[in-house]
Amino acid sequence: MKRESPPVAEIVLQIDGKAVKATEGMTVLQAASSATISIPTLCHHEKLEPYGACRLCMVEVEARGRKSYVVSCLYPVARDLIVRTRSDKVDKIRRVILEELLAHAPHSPELMRLAQEYGADKDRFEKESSFCILCGLCVRYCAEIKGKNAVGFVDHGARRKIRFVPEIASNECWDCQECFALCPTSFAQAAYFLTEALAFPGRRKAWTP
Amino acid sequence: MAKLRSAAGLETLRADIVSRRDPGKRCIAVCAGAGCDAACSAAVVDALREEAAKKSIDVKVTGCHGLCEKGPNVVVTPGELCYFGVRPEDAPGIVAGTAKGVRMDEVPFYKHQMRLLIGDNPRIDPTRIEDYLALGGYAALSKALFQMTPDQVLDQVKKANLRGRGGGGFPAGLKWETAKNAPADERYVIVNGHEGEPGAFMDRALFTGNPHKVLEGLIIGAHAIGAHRGFIYTRHDSPKLIEHIETALAQAEAYGLLGENILGSGFDFEVEVHFDVGIFVSGESSALMRSIEGNPPEPRPKYVRTSVSGIWEKPSNLNNVETWANVSQIISRGADWYASIGTEGSKGTKLVSLSGHVVNSGVAEVPMGTPLRTIVHDIGGGVADAKPLKALHFGGPMGGSIPERLIDTPLDFDALAALGAPIGAGGLLVMDDGTDMVDMARYFLEFLTHESCGKCVPCREGLLQMLKILTSMTNGKGRNGDIARLEDLAEVTGMACLCALGKTASDPLRSMLRHFKDEYEARIPAGG
Ligand SMILES: Cc1cc2nc3c(=O)[nH]c(=O)nc-3n(C[C@H](O)[C@H](O)[C@H](O)COP(=O)(O)O)c2cc1C
Ligand code: SF4
Ligand code: FES
């Protein structure tokens, strides 16, 4: 879904009981943040196309009497939409998602902070320590902002991973490294250095021995 | 051959084909569907051809007849005499007419069916459009083009209340209408022939055995919706299916039934074939459309429907193979006739793939509303090895199981969905009393954890965690809290996933926790 510009009609919707003004084409997440209502996100980044993968930003919406659960980073605002950013169900979704992610990255500061807020138990599910939570920030930043595709997804299902492409990474990454700071678990950085060590030791561009 | 340029031209051609055929002449139809093919029906064809060459008897190689369990299957017309488990050495007896066959309408597997869609399979060589034309093929297209407006066609499909056969049961007419009315300069129609569900083989049986039936429905739909471009998305790993589809497209085009100015009506429509990328999620509508665009098959959020914004963001109407195959008869025989078959909310017939612990595995077709008992016991011949029946599972890894005591439930979209075992695409798995329901849920989840795209957390991680818990339970390592963990994971997966794969992935587990919870509790020390 594309963010449309220029904005057209003005829309009023209700978020957590507050009337919030928005413009057509905005997402619920954008409308909420303009009204300083915070919704947790992991895979969202202002500079990137909305992605909808972590599902942490789910909210309850009600339109024409029908309730449903949607990701606010993608869901478009609509006239008279009623949004609840917290409810028992929303909190449960967030708690279980955090517990699932903590099985991969139990020490991520961002996850630990959210775990505290939602009462998530980092030991509820069997550990699967890959450290990557596959939010795709590195992959999408490299593709959308840098246009380099030095890091991408491989495989699918439970085997999905990120992987640096040695042929591109050896030329591009050393001078950039911008994705490292975006990563909620520091895995992007580790993955890059591992790739360097295994695939092109001592051959990265800008290497000064 | 010359392109047909009018309705009359089509009828003249049909009369010519029919006049060259002697209805009294014997014809031996050998099934070369997947099951019979694996049982070496090709050797049977060779033996029969050799024998038949001495007399004036035709041997036709056809698509699936239905009773795969007993293949290789042979049907001799006139008289529709069936021979099962045919070996090459049976050829002389069959050709001479001395071997004893059973009339099709006396075979229990067939006699309880209503074979509107698959019944023509034994009469058609799928590589010859003339066989389809001889049985009245493309008359519905001609009627739709010359005697009806696109709106009237749409109206008939709506009135017939044709619901999608690919899993969701969504009304086809409403989807067509949305795609037709969505503002755009171009719109598309698509056949979903991915059929990735384990235990489902009816789409392949129908599409491989009678490709023109699906194609005719697609062209009629394209005309009604106003699409000039269509796509067939199908399996990359079924060479015979691909060959038959490609042959059908080429022959339809050569006769002017496809391409520019179809039958001289001024309507242009072309079709491209695309292949799946081998993972189950590529059958999901938005993933399939991304795949046709040349992208990885990752589902998109559907806050805007694909019938409004699909392939290249154009309105794209996707229907299942069997859904499209229903269209021509609705047009030729009328919506009222169609709606007279079935139940209040589920009309027409449904193909069912029977598998598991059943005597007759194969593809059956019954009117909607048929009690499951008829399907399992009369058509299916009951449970294999005369064991007691334990449960029936519909819809594969996104479906659900019901216990034996609900066997009088009718085959009906809504009745089965209410019990937690939605029809899905129509795969029916029969389970005897030795079946471990914890292991069944584990099996389906194991399949899905490797067949999802892996993009969203509650699907990728939720499925994996459910699989881990179920695996440890089946290994005798169930822990206190496992059932609560499973319930939480299932609930959140159902609410929070991006596409229907994730949203329904926990349905088998949920149905089992609903109907067979004691088996789960028995795996936890002290009842957990
Ligand atoms: C994971 C997944 C796999 C699917 N696979 C198929 C398939 O193989 N064939 C099919 O027709 N529909 C499949 N569907 C359903 C399609 O998304 C879509 O609803 C259907 O093709 C629409 O056609 P219908 O309305 O005629 O049923 C699948 C859905 C999901 C979520
Ligand atoms: S629910 Fe599963 S298959 Fe669907 S988008 Fe999410 S990860 Fe992919
Ligand atoms: S921030 Fe919306 S799904 Fe991740």
Side-chain angles (χ1 to χ4, degrees), chain A residues 29 40-44 51-58 71-74:
Chain A
L29 181 66
T41 62
L42 278 173
C43 68
H44 183 72
Y51 188 53
C54 73
R55 319 300 284 175
L56 206 64
C57 69
M58 281 220 139
V71 285
S72 57
C73 67
L74 280 165

Side-chain angles (χ1 to χ4, degrees), chain A residues 77-110:
Chain A
V77 293
R79 214 170 297 282
D80 300 327
L81 189 73
I82 299 169
V83 179
R84 294 180 199 95
T85 67
R86 297 292 292 257
S87 75
D88 286 352
K89 288 261 193 259
V90 167
D91 283 14
K92 180 167 188 180
I93 291 172
R94 292 185 190 153
R95 175 168 61 77
V96 172
I97 287 175
L98 288 166
E99 288 170 339
E100 289 169 355
L101 292 174
L102 285 159
H104 285 271
H107 305 295
S108 153
E110 206 171 334

Side-chain angles (χ1 to χ4, degrees), chain B residues 458-459 462-463 466 488-497 502-503 505-506:
Chain B
C459 174
L463 267 54
M466 286 187 270
D488 275 3
L489 286 164
E491 184 189 350
V492 169
T493 309
M495 285 194 296
C497 284
K503 284 198 173 112
S506 46

Side-chain angles (χ1 to χ4, degrees), chain A residues 1-2 51-55 58 69-71 74-76 89 92-93 95-97 100-101 103-104 124-128 133-134 156-160, chain B residues 279 298 301 303-304 313 449-458 460-462 464-465 468-469 479 484-485 487-489 491-493 495-498:
Chain A
M1 220 178 297
K2 289 211 190 81
Y51 188 53
C54 73
R55 319 300 284 175
M58 281 220 139
Y69 297 89
V70 301
V71 285
L74 280 165
Y75 197 80
K89 288 261 193 259
K92 180 167 188 180
I93 291 172
R95 175 168 61 77
V96 172
I97 287 175
E100 289 169 355
L101 292 174
H104 285 271
R124 186 148 189 242
F125 298 121
E126 192 182 310
K127 292 283 174 303
E128 179 79 18
I133 59 165
L134 293 160
H156 53 263
R159 298 197 189 100
R160 187 173 169 106
Chain B
I279 61 170
E298 263 176 32
Y303 301 132
V304 180
E313 289 168 23
T449 50
H450 303 304
E451 299 288 328
S452 72
C453 78
K455 173 175 172 175
C456 68
V457 174
R460 187 184 67 240
E461 305 303 330
L464 186 66
Q465 292 297 348
K468 284 180 180 218
I469 295 170
R479 291 186 301 144
R485 269 187 284 272
E487 283 172 337
D488 275 3
L489 286 164
E491 184 189 350
V492 169
T493 309
M495 285 194 296
C497 284
L498 193 159

